Amino acid sequence: QCDDQIEMMRDEYNRRRRYVVKALNEMGLTCFEPRGAFYVFPSIEKFGMSSDEFCTRLIAGKGVALVPGSCFAAEGFVRLSYCCSMENLEEGLNRLAAFVQTLEQHSV
């Protein structure tokens, strides 16, 4: 009896996934679109720091929490969940983009 709600939820998560992957790639964090998960693993290798350091600096500087890839035997990547509202995703991705821009400016 809830097929309509399931389809609506599936469509909404698909929309969030596409939004997040596009935003990450646009800010220069290479990310492939997952097929069946609620999270993505963008690459941070270009910054030359561990995933632990990246996540620690991000949360301290911008108040955005990502999970280090080292927790999943995926050093050089971070894990970002898109199981929250679009408003939270937009805000978090804007903060992440500002953080990435700062890192890129310091590496030049």
Side-chain angles (χ1 to χ4, degrees):
Q1 295 176 342
C2 59
D3 287 346
D4 290 343
Q5 288 88 3
I6 292 171
E7 187 172 336
M8 182 184 73
M9 289 171 58
R10 185 184 62 227
D11 292 344
E12 180 58 26
Y13 282 119
N14 185 39
R15 179 174 81 94
R16 292 176 195 181
R17 181 183 68 234
R18 288 191 322 267
Y19 172 78
V20 167
V21 169
K22 181 177 185 242
L24 290 168
N25 282 307
E26 286 177 351
M27 69 178 79
L29 299 179
T30 304
C31 182
F32 297 100
E33 190 169 321
R35 292 186 171 193
F38 296 108
Y39 46 83
V40 293
F41 278 93
S43 173
I44 57 151
E45 292 177 309
K46 72 181 190 176
F47 299 114
M49 66 179 77
S50 71
S51 59
D52 291 309
E53 181 183 357
F54 184 94
C55 290
T56 299
R57 289 176 61 182
L58 175 62
I59 197 165
K62 296 294 181 182
V64 175
L66 301 182
V67 181
S70 61
C71 295
F72 305 96
E75 186 55 67
F77 296 84
V78 292
R79 179 174 155 165
L80 185 157
S81 173
Y82 53 88
C83 267
C84 58
S85 69
M86 278 299 290
E87 293 80 16
N88 285 344
L89 287 173
E90 290 167 355
E91 178 66 24
L93 288 168
N94 286 336
R95 291 180 188 191
L96 177 58
F99 177 73
V100 165
Q101 187 175 31
T102 299
L103 292 177
E104 289 174 340
Q105 289 172 348
H106 286 101
S107 68
V108 174

